[in-house]
Amino acid sequence: MTDTVLLRVEDGIAWITLNRPERLNAFAGTMRDDLHDAVARASDDPQVRVLVVTGAGRAFGTGADLEVTGDLVGRGDDAAFERLVESGMRAVRRLRAVRQPVIAAVNGAAAGAGASLALACDVRIASEKASFGLTFNRIGLHPDWGGSYFLPRVVGAGRAAELILSARMVPADEALRIGLFDRIVPAERFEDEVRAFAAELAAKPPLALAAAKRTLSRALDSTLDEILEAERAEQMACFRSADAREGIAAFNEKRTPVFRGA
């Protein structure tokens, strides 16, 4: 990786930071591949219980660097541009394959591919200064990084169409109201609130959380019977785990459980 994507692990939490604050964390160079690699390294670490994706400075991420994209358009370099799109696809696929919960800590503007990246995470916690927009058609482009897939699942088909077609930026309070953000917090407490929520998830049973992620990922594309069967299979696997024995013992003994992911 380069220093434009940072990975830090502490107390079971992997912090992945887009780190081009002078360009509002716009993607350039190898950043897409570096993001993929950071996610892979974090998720493969047995000590990591939660991933947090965020941005340095005053933005979460504003998508492609338009100086780079403009140069490719000017040269008509289809092949180079398609490689960038495919790198984004690869990063999103890896992110969605992660067994741990993934939190998007939306510290500022999330636009274009930055918005799609936030949607690809499991939970979005936002600063009151954050905003969100699938702004692709402002420059004549189409959503990528899975934005067309995730957005209607988060806000519904009609609202998704309005947001994508208008390409408008949505302020934090509206984003919370329509379900784009799951929680907004005061800017001065933003990092502390994210850390507290990540620590809360890190203390929960890893097997049960991973199972819940698998079932939820199928929920909107499956029948009730298919989900009931998936729940049965996941429930039985959890029932046989040491974590379930620990959880029930801790409840009966009125103590805090210590889950080990086994």
Side-chain angles (χ1 to χ4, degrees):
M1 295 189 301
T2 66
D3 60 3
T4 54
V5 177
L6 306 178
L7 171 61
R8 174 178 100 254
V9 178
E10 55 184 35
D11 300 324
I13 303 167
W15 297 83
I16 298 172
T17 304
L18 305 180
N19 189 40
R20 287 187 79 213
E22 73 286 356
R23 298 289 294 171
L24 301 180
N25 302 318
F27 287 97
T30 63
M31 280 183 72
R32 296 165 178 84
D33 293 329
D34 293 340
L35 175 62
H36 170 278
D37 294 347
V39 170
R41 286 175 53 189
S43 62
D44 289 345
D45 184 339
Q47 302 304 312
V48 169
R49 297 286 188 92
V50 179
L51 280 69
V52 177
V53 180
T54 193
R58 59 191 179 92
F60 176 79
T62 53
D65 188 311
L66 294 188
E67 287 188 3
V68 176
T69 304
D71 177 64
L72 295 178
V73 169
R75 292 190 283 114
D77 195 339
D78 288 22
F81 185 68
E82 189 165 16
R83 284 194 296 272
L84 294 180
V85 174
E86 289 173 349
S87 293
M89 292 166 59
R90 183 168 169 261
V92 167
R93 286 185 175 124
R94 191 66 182 83
L95 189 68
R96 293 300 292 179
V98 167
R99 70 185 187 283
Q100 301 97 328
V102 182
I103 301 168
V106 188
N107 53 301
S116 296
L117 173 61
L119 288 172
C121 298
D122 298 310
V123 179
R124 286 160 294 284
I125 299 178
S127 163
E128 62 189 354
K129 295 182 178 180
S131 56
F132 179 99
L134 287 172
T135 53
F136 295 89
N137 74 27
R138 292 187 181 188
I139 55 170
L141 293 178
H142 184 281
D144 56 13
W145 290 62
S148 305
Y149 176 87
F150 296 116
L151 189 62
R153 286 165 169 76
V154 171
V155 299
R159 180 95 58 185
E162 185 269 324
L163 293 174
I164 288 175
L165 297 179
S166 70
R168 67 186 179 91
M169 291 297 294
V170 180
D173 56 349
E174 181 185 355
L176 177 68
R177 187 174 70 251
I178 66 178
L180 285 169
F181 296 157
D182 301 299
R183 184 186 302 180
I184 57 174
V185 297
E188 65 272 15
R189 298 207 313 267
F190 178 68
E191 187 171 339
D192 289 341
E193 294 275 355
V194 172
R195 181 176 287 104
F197 182 63
E200 178 185 337
L201 294 186
K204 293 186 179 297
L207 296 180
L209 267 59
K213 283 190 58 169
R214 286 191 294 269
T215 305
L216 285 168
S217 71
R218 299 176 52 187
L220 293 180
D221 300 313
S222 301
T223 66
L224 173 60
D225 282 344
E226 288 169 338
I227 292 301
L228 288 170
E229 284 300 319
E231 289 177 338
R232 178 195 59 76
E234 298 288 8
Q235 185 73 298
M236 293 309 300
C238 289
F239 174 79
R240 300 182 186 106
S241 70
D243 277 354
R245 293 192 294 275
E246 166 64 8
I248 292 168
F251 179 84
N252 289 331
E253 296 164 10
K254 297 180 172 56
R255 62 176 174 81
T256 301
V258 179
F259 296 114
R260 306 196 182 280

